[in-house]
Amino acid sequence: MFYLNEFSVFGHGAETARKLSGSTPHDQLLIQTSNSFAGLLLFVIGFLLFMVAFVKDREFQSFFAKGCMLLHVSMAFWRVYFERRLEVLAWDWPKQVIGDFALALSWVFFLVYSWREKLFSAGICCLVRFHVSSQNAPNGRVL
């Protein structure tokens, strides 16, 4: 239905895809169940990101971005320490680690942008407040 075998062959090669598909019917059922739960997890994560996009609270978005960054970095460490030991996936982990760090870096850019925007808007508010208070002060003196 979702061309799982074709994607596996495209991503890993024919021999590795055959090894990853399982050798017994029980293994194949476990792998299909695992893939179904992984797909469900991806859907939930996408839905959660969609919901967070509409939250106006910057503190929560900053907290969420820090959590996502930590998740991507920890996933990269998982790949380095555990996935590279699997001979079937041994050549895939460097690309995936680079991808995990790139995704973590994208959240860092989001944090830097939101901090810059927060500081810039705070600076504008201070300037406007200073300008208004200097205009309303008696004898032209700043309060």
Side-chain angles (χ1 to χ4, degrees):
M1 180 175 169
F2 295 112
Y3 303 105
L4 182 64
N5 189 37
E6 286 79 8
F7 281 120
S8 186
V9 168
F10 178 73
H12 301 289
E15 184 180 339
T16 305
R18 186 178 45 77
K19 289 179 183 177
L20 289 175
S21 67
S23 57
T24 65
H26 185 262
D27 290 345
Q28 291 172 354
L29 181 63
L30 286 175
I31 291 169
Q32 287 175 354
T33 305
S34 172
N35 288 337
S36 298
F37 281 125
L40 181 64
L41 180 65
L42 287 174
F43 174 77
V44 169
I45 289 171
F47 191 68
L48 183 67
L49 283 172
F50 181 73
M51 289 190 317
V52 168
F54 291 104
V55 173
K56 300 294 183 198
D57 184 18
R58 289 186 189 181
E59 295 298 322
F60 176 74
Q61 286 185 344
S62 175
F63 171 75
F64 187 79
K66 289 175 191 173
C68 288
M69 183 184 61
L70 181 67
L71 179 71
H72 287 297
V73 169
S74 62
M75 190 64 199
F77 284 125
W78 169 266
R79 292 184 200 282
V80 168
Y81 289 115
F82 295 105
E83 279 193 13
R84 71 183 171 118
R85 294 181 187 168
L86 299 174
E87 67 181 57
V88 174
L89 300 175
W91 67 280
D92 281 343
W93 72 268
K95 295 185 294 187
Q96 293 174 341
V97 166
I98 291 170
D100 287 331
F101 279 125
L103 288 171
L105 188 63
S106 71
W107 287 107
V108 169
F109 287 147
F110 173 78
L111 285 171
V112 168
Y113 176 76
S114 64
W115 287 335
R116 184 184 64 96
E117 185 178 298
K118 182 179 176 182
L119 291 175
F120 181 71
S121 64
I124 292 289
C125 290
C126 290
L127 286 176
V128 169
R129 194 176 313 133
F130 175 74
H131 181 67
V132 169
S133 66
S134 67
Q135 285 181 348
N136 295 335
N139 301 330
R141 294 175 24 200
V142 178
L143 299 176

